[in-house]
Amino acid sequence: MPYLYELPTTGAVSFSSFIHDNSGSWTISIANATTARANLRSVLKESKRTEDGEKDYLKIIKTTDDYLPQLRAIQNCPIILDGIAFSWRSTLSSHTFTSSPRVDFPTLFADLTFSLLTLGFALSNLAQTKVVALGQYELERHITDAERQKKDQELNFATTLLCKASGIFSYVSEKVIPDWEHEVEGVKMSRDLAPDVKKEVVDALAKMALADASQLSIRKLLTRSAYDSTLSPGPPLPRSHPSPALIAKLFLNAAALYTSARSLVKGSAKTHSSNSDDDVNPELRRHLADESVFCSAAAHKWLGVDAGEAERSGEAVGFLRWAVAELEGLSKDRKIDLKTGKSGKAARKDRLAEDLDGTKTFLRHYQNMNDSLHFLPVPSNADVQALVPTGRSAVQVKTYDPPTPTFGPFSVEGLRRQAEALEVQGQDGED
């Protein structure tokens, strides 16, 4: 399940208070930029007051998309900015949302960073709501092929949203934050107050979004076979089932992404202030930890199934025992009772219970096969670990392309005028 972000809020800004357009060329455009930002502020405040299931993430995405070309136009214009600063509330810190203070960040790069983060958060949240709405459709016994394919398309759409979010986070981490630091040397002092704008944390968000997308892509690969297995789960695999070795490699890559993201988040707290408010909130850290273990267990499960289908039953038992131990450890760590479901989030509990039951079913089958037919030695944990292959990517990042500024020298109109001026100069030279 994709991670669900708490969206930030921001203070009001009037660009005319900071920008001195002596020529008067962009007075109306600057006012339009202020209006676009006010619209973004308004939808974020509205979202804060709305229950999770009723938030309009599509509206937030559109409003942010409308503002970003205006912001880029102001960044590119040769106008005077006097002490401009932007107030944004951190939502990735260990503060609760209601008590986390707004922090003033200098320069236009601050607003660009938080606006892009907001866009990435909203895309991720829209993907999460789409997945929740779909439910476990592939396990519905009476679903038609047409209905399943339609929901497969919706699952693909959610995957694409997460790949776009990953691209935005990567752009912020690799381009915007370094440019911001280069422009203002003292920005690192402000960054200590919010993990949201630390390069390593945003890089972790990019990896997490891609890992979340990978899981949805894997699920899409398994929807047909999951439906075919509803009446008779476990071995033998239905003919519609994709290669277990491929599924294992895809899960291994997702697990590596979660692990890398978790390391970046941990490192961000060590390399900056030791203040607990500087740390990333526990829900995000828990998501990274849980999904890393879950994907690792899923990979080991499918490696075991692959070995079992190839009649390497001893190896199959070794991998499946490993997967069962990981899943049981995860449920114990999170205090999730797989029999009664009295605690923990419902979706996480259901998924863990289903995967643990399914993994145990495969384990019993291949254990019986090995004990009664093949009599192969079960490799040790160290030997099993040595058999783990390299992961494989299920999805790719959607590279973020910054929008064209709405006005100024790099807008469509500005470039047209520059081209006309060059053409006139060329004609004068010929004369």
Side-chain angles (χ1 to χ4, degrees):
M1 182 70 67
Y3 183 75
L4 184 66
Y5 291 93
E6 189 74 57
L7 298 184
T9 56
T10 183
V13 168
S14 174
F15 286 114
S16 60
S17 300
F18 299 93
I19 299 172
H20 303 288
D21 177 21
N22 296 327
S23 67
S25 303
W26 296 309
T27 301
I28 295 177
S29 298
I30 292 170
N32 290 339
T34 297
T35 299
R37 193 182 189 283
N39 291 339
L40 176 58
R41 178 174 181 265
S42 177
V43 297
L44 289 175
K45 288 180 66 178
E46 179 184 353
S47 177
K48 178 185 174 182
R49 296 190 295 264
T50 306
E51 295 295 329
D52 282 343
E54 300 177 359
K55 294 182 187 293
D56 191 347
Y57 295 117
L58 197 58
K59 181 178 180 181
I60 294 170
I61 292 168
K62 184 181 184 305
T63 306
T64 309
D65 278 336
D66 289 342
Y67 172 56
L68 285 169
Q70 305 275 1
L71 179 57
R72 278 180 50 79
I74 290 177
Q75 275 191 308
N76 292 328
C77 286
I79 47 188
I80 302 171
L81 305 176
D82 289 339
I84 191 167
F86 298 88
S87 172
W88 283 88
R89 191 185 299 275
S90 167
T91 56
L92 295 183
S93 67
S94 292
H95 281 296
T96 58
F97 183 75
T98 55
S99 64
S100 57
R102 285 205 186 111
V103 182
D104 289 335
F105 297 92
T107 85
L108 289 163
F109 279 110
D111 215 39
L112 179 60
T113 297
F114 273 99
S115 296
L116 286 170
L117 288 176
T118 298
L119 180 58
F121 293 164
L123 286 167
S124 297
N125 288 2
L126 180 59
Q128 198 266 2
T129 59
K130 294 288 184 182
V131 173
V132 170
L134 286 173
Q136 294 292 323
Y137 67 92
E138 63 269 39
L139 302 182
E140 296 174 7
R141 295 182 180 180
H142 302 293
I143 191 172
T144 66
D145 283 344
E147 291 172 334
R148 180 180 54 77
Q149 290 171 7
K150 181 179 179 181
K151 294 197 173 188
D152 281 351
Q153 292 176 356
E154 295 178 20
L155 192 61
N156 279 338
F157 177 62
T159 303
T160 300
L161 291 174
L162 288 166
C163 291
K164 288 182 177 180
S166 180
I168 291 170
F169 294 140
S170 294
Y171 179 77
V172 173
S173 172
E174 296 170 6
K175 174 64 176 173
V176 180
I177 292 178
D179 286 349
W180 184 12
E181 292 179 338
H182 182 265
E183 182 176 81
V184 181
E185 293 182 1
V187 73
K188 290 187 177 180
M189 294 178 62
S190 296
R191 289 174 66 243
D192 282 339
L193 300 175
D196 313 53
V197 291
K198 293 178 182 177
K199 184 180 185 302
E200 54 270 33
V201 172
V202 182
D203 190 18
L205 300 184
K207 294 180 184 297
M208 182 177 74
L210 195 62
D212 288 347
S214 297
Q215 286 208 70
L216 296 188
S217 179
I218 296 169
R219 178 182 171 185
K220 163 63 175 57
L221 287 175
L222 291 169
T223 55
R224 177 58 189 269
S225 60
Y227 170 76
D228 291 340
S229 298
T230 52
L231 295 178
S232 57
L237 297 177
R239 295 181 62 182
S240 59
H241 201 288
S243 164
L246 171 62
I247 298 300
K249 290 178 181 179
L250 299 180
F251 270 118
L252 285 170
N253 185 75
L257 287 169
Y258 284 123
T259 301
S260 179
R262 190 183 181 199
S263 297
L264 286 167
V265 167
K266 285 184 175 180
S268 71
K270 295 178 181 179
T271 57
H272 295 286
S273 169
S274 59
N275 187 346
S276 62
D277 296 342
D278 179 54
D279 202 1
V280 174
N281 73 63
E283 281 296 320
L284 192 149
R285 287 184 277 123
R286 185 176 301 117
H287 178 79
L288 293 173
D290 288 356
E291 296 306 314
S292 175
V293 174
F294 178 82
C295 288
S296 176
H300 300 149
K301 166 191 171 181
W302 291 113
L303 287 173
V305 173
D306 181 62
E309 294 293 295
E311 298 186 351
R312 303 193 307 273
S313 53
E315 182 182 323
V317 171
F319 271 117
L320 289 165
R321 283 177 178 174
W322 188 5
V324 167
E326 288 176 302
L327 291 172
E328 288 181 337
L330 182 57
S331 65
K332 182 179 180 181
D333 289 343
R334 296 299 171 235
K335 298 180 180 179
I336 297 173
D337 189 334
L338 297 179
K339 294 181 179 179
T340 63
K342 291 182 179 179
S343 61
K345 292 184 177 180
R348 185 181 295 132
K349 172 183 69 66
D350 291 343
R351 184 177 64 160
L352 277 173
E354 290 169 5
D355 275 85
L356 184 56
D357 286 345
T359 304
K360 286 182 175 180
T361 297
F362 280 112
L363 176 58
R364 285 193 296 269
H365 175 80
Y366 294 122
Q367 180 78 67
N368 291 335
M369 291 289 292
N370 197 50
D371 291 346
S372 60
L373 183 61
H374 296 133
F375 306 105
L376 296 173
V378 176
S380 66
N381 290 340
D383 290 337
V384 170
Q385 292 174 17
L387 297 173
V388 176
T390 303
R392 177 175 171 180
S393 298
V395 293
Q396 299 296 324
V397 175
K398 297 285 186 183
T399 302
Y400 176 72
D401 293 320
T404 302
T406 53
F407 63 93
F410 297 102
S411 65
V412 173
E413 178 65 19
L415 293 174
R416 184 186 65 79
R417 290 180 179 178
Q418 292 178 44
E420 289 177 352
L422 290 173
E423 183 179 352
V424 170
Q425 290 177 6
Q427 292 174 352
D428 291 343
E430 293 176 1
D431 296 340

